[in-house]
């Protein structure tokens, strides 16, 4: 061993000893700068009143199931094993009370009217249907009432029901046992497969008219990342009958040709009359679709941590920081939703929630060209899975479990499926360096509070964020990643996307996301106001022979719902805000502005018979008078019957006055995705994120972030290296110890939910 090696080993040993000593001292709380500190929150304190918005507890779910089993008067089969002809509980979720009831509870101290919503499939009766019940009171229910007609104006026909995991499982068995066995030669010689090595992916919707339940299933090699391994075979399955034995294949498709089923395809193939494009089965890891890193780990990536622990607190379903407080929950269908959002103790937003996410695909294959996924129908919330520390969220974030009761009679827990953290964005929220007249620097780091969940719906992963800034702004953001889904490349396929594999076409598609934002700006009644600019030509007062073109402020009150509905790609005033009935110090109406960051593709043409089911996508922004009977812009029943939508958002807009009313903004954002080679193996979040921002507009007398204790200021006459002048100078002491990180654990492969 040479001297150089000895020196290197000695240095490493000393560094390790120093780190261990520092950790031990930190745990003892002894050295200055490493002492645990408790932040104070004079503006916001936890309140158990937030529980009015809380998701059901596992015990409450069990109590509701037990009550329904004994009170509905019909046998209920566990949905996990239910046939289409059975009665079963589809899901149970909390029933959020009316806004008037909630505000009476929050502001007036009235009792908590807590109840549950139960959705029940009645397949075992002469008139099969889906019925929704409100069950209560919790935690020990004693009554239930049918609210289906009240909510939807009539019964929900049974064909509109979302497909159960059991039904998908039965279709898979049907394909393997009844269909694939009729074409063994074709499968073996052309697809390099047998009935056990293929996997199917559903399309949706399922037909062309109300009552249809005919689904195209696209077949792939069953390997890791199978979404990128289409084999070219697609089958149309009619599973409309409640008798599984009556299901049948209506059509089969291969390489541009349609067949009655696989029998004629097998026969014609043996006669040499089928134009084939053989595929070879990929290795089990998927080969080019594998997410296994192609490089070994090296130096660790940068790590963010709180020097003295988090500056926020999470209790029950409420988050409180120095400036912000809000209640959170997860709807099984639509995902995260927030209520009672307050900045410095004042309510700004009553509710902000995801309503639906839609993807419309193009392809020259039937499964792709007919796909319009409405993700709320599959369940954005229920597919919110455990997060990975250090990748999905900062390692030291606070993690929260979620509980669901969907397609089962037993609650399921998704451990660590939400995270809360304070993020230093690495850039200033505001700053100025002055070298004119006086010499000084003033700035504020952009630290924001973030609530996050990630939903995996089949191939796509959606990263959902709600971000809270120190200047009173709120951002709702979504980023898309995961696998693209693909079609088999043949013929004119390149008119519908890019080639990304030997037989793989990445197909063009849109992503559209709709949010509900119930702003209460300075109170519950608001008016929608638009500000913008226009150039005007005037004579220069000091030189009348010359013209000046100057920007002028334009102001408009949007006093009806029709005036407040802006088509997706139309011009919209750049400053639109909810105006309060009060003014700030400077005489302006206090307000919160809506700003949309989006690059959506085209909306489905209104000539389409299914467009009304996603008619919220017509508008980038639509503001309506808030109504309890218009709680959501979409419905889980729209996916399987978009031709007669259970909820049609376009009907919400009927030219009612919206001056000094309780208003709701329905906001659509999204992006066009034309898959390309760099989407292999996965689509990246960079450039695939869109958001909406709620920003104070004359709501305050000055920027409220000026009161943040994170601000930095020093002049040329001060010593900026002194802690008393500049607290940033203390970081060398405060950050001198290693953070104590919890051990890495992951529970994402337990209690999996079928899709």
């Amino acid at each position: 061993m040479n001297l150089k090696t000895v020196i290197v080993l000695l240095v490493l040993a000393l560094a390790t000893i120093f780190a261990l000593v520092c950790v031990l001292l930190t745990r003892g709380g002894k050295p200055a700068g490493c002492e645990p500190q408790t932040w104070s929150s004079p503006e916001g304190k936890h309140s158990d009143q937030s529980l009015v918005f809380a998701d059901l507890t596992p015990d409450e779910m069990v109590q509701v199931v037990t009550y329904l089993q004994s009170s509905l008067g019909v046998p209920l089969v566990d949905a996990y094993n239910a046939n289409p002809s059975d009665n079963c509980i589809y899901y149970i979720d909390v029933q959020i009370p009316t806004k008037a009831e909630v505000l009476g509870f929050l502001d007036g101290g009235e009792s908590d009217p807590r109840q549950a919503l139960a959705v029940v499939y009645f397949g075992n009766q002469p008139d099969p249907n889906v019925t929704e019940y409100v069950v209560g009171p919790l935690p020990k229910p004693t009554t239930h009432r049918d609210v289906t007609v009240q909510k939807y104006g009539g019964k929900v026909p049974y064909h509109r029901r979302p497909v159960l995991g059991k039904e998908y499982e039965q279709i898979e068995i049907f394909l393997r046992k009844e269909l694939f066995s009729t074409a063994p030669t074709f499968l073996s010689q052309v697809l390099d497969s047998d009935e056990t090595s293929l996997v199917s992916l559903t399309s949706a919707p399922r037909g062309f008219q109300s009552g249809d339940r005919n689904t195209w299933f696209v077949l792939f090699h069953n390997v890791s990342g199978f979404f990128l391994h289409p084999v070219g075979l697609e089958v149309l399955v009619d599973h409309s009958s409640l008798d599984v034995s009556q299901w049948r294949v209506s059509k089969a498709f291969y390489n541009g040709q349609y067949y009655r089923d696989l029998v004629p395809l097998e026969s014609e193939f043996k006669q040499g009359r089928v134009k084939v494009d053989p595929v070879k089965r990929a290795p089990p890891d998927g080969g080019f679709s594998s997410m296994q890193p192609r490089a070994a780990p090296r130096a660790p990536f940068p790590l963010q941590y709180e020097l003295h622990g988090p500056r926020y607190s999470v209790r029950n379903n409420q988050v409180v920081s120095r400036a912000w407080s809000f209640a959170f929950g997860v709807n099984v269908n639509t995902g995260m939703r927030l209520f009672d959002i307050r900045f410095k103790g004042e309510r700004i937003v009553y509710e902000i929630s995801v309503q639906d996410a839609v993807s419309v695909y193009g392809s020259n294959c039937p499964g792709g060209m007919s796909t319009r996924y409405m993700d709320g129908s599959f369940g954005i919330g229920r597919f919110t899975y455990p997060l990975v520390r250090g990748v999905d969220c900062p390692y030291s974030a606070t993690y929260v479990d979620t509980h669901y009761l969907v397609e089962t009679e037993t609650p399921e827990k998704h451990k660590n499926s939400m995270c809360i953290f304070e993020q230093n964005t690495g850039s200033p929220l505001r700053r100025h360096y002055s070298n004119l007249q006086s010499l000084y620097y003033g700035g504020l780091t952009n630290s924001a509070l973030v609530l996050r969940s990630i939903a995996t719906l089949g191939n796509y992963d959606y990263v959902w964020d709600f971000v809270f800034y120190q200047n009173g702004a709120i951002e709702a953001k979504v980023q898309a990643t995961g696998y693209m889904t693909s079609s088999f490349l043949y013929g004119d396929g390149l008119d519908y996307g890019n080639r990304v594999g030997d037989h793989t076409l990445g197909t063009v598609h849109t992503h559209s996301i709709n949010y509900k934002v119930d702003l209460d700006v300075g109170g519950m009644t608001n008016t929608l106001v638009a500000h913008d600019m226009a150039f005007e030509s005037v004579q220069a007062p000091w030189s009348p022979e010359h013209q000046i073109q100057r920007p002028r402020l334009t102001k408009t009150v949007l006093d009806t719902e029709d005036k407040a509905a802006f088509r997706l790609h139309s011009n919209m005033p750049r400053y639109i805000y909810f105006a309060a009935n009060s003014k700030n110090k400077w005489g302006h109406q206090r307000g919160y502005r809506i700003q949309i960051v989006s690059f959506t593709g085209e909306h489905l043409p209104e000539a389409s018979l299914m467009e009304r089911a996603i008619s919220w996508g017509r508008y980038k922004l639509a503001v309506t008078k808030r109504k309890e009977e218009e709680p959501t812009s979409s419905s889980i029943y729209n996916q399987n019957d978009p031709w007669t939508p259970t909820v049609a958002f376009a009907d919400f807009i009927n030219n009612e006055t919206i001056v000094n009313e309780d208003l709701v903004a329905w906001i659509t954002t999204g992006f066009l995705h034309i898959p390309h080679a760099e989407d292999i193996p996965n689509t990246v979040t960079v450039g695939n994120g869109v958001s909406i921002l709620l920003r104070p507009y004359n709501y305050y007398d000055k920027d409220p972030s000026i009161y943040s204790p994170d601000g930095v200021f020093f002049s040329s006459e001060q010593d900026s290296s002194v802690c008393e002048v500049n607290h940033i100078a203390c970081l060398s002491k405060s950050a001198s110890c290693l953070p104590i990180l919890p051990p890495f654990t992951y529970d994402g492969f337990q209690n999996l939910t079928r899709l």
Side-chain angles (χ1 to χ4, degrees), residues 486-509:
S486 63
S487 288
F488 190 80
L489 178 60
Y490 85 95
D492 61 352
L494 293 180
D495 289 343
Y496 303 96
N498 287 313
R499 182 178 184 177
V500 294
D502 289 339
H503 301 280
T504 307
L505 177 70
T507 49
V508 60
H509 58 279

Side-chain angles (χ1 to χ4, degrees), residues 577-588:
Y577 66 97
F578 276 38
N581 292 315
S582 56
K583 297 181 178 181
N584 71 358
K585 179 180 178 180
W586 314 112
H588 298 294

Side-chain angles (χ1 to χ4, degrees), residues 39-53:
W39 56 272
S40 59
S41 178
E43 290 87 1
K45 296 181 179 179
H46 282 289
S47 169
D48 287 341
Q49 288 181 316
S50 68
L51 292 172
V52 70
F53 304 111

Side-chain angles (χ1 to χ4, degrees), residues 324 343 429 444-447 468-472 704-705 708 710:
W324 290 99
F343 185 70
L429 180 63
L444 175 65
T445 184
N446 189 7
S447 293
F468 303 87
Y469 296 95
Q470 295 182 80
N471 68 329
S705 75
S708 170
D710 295 342

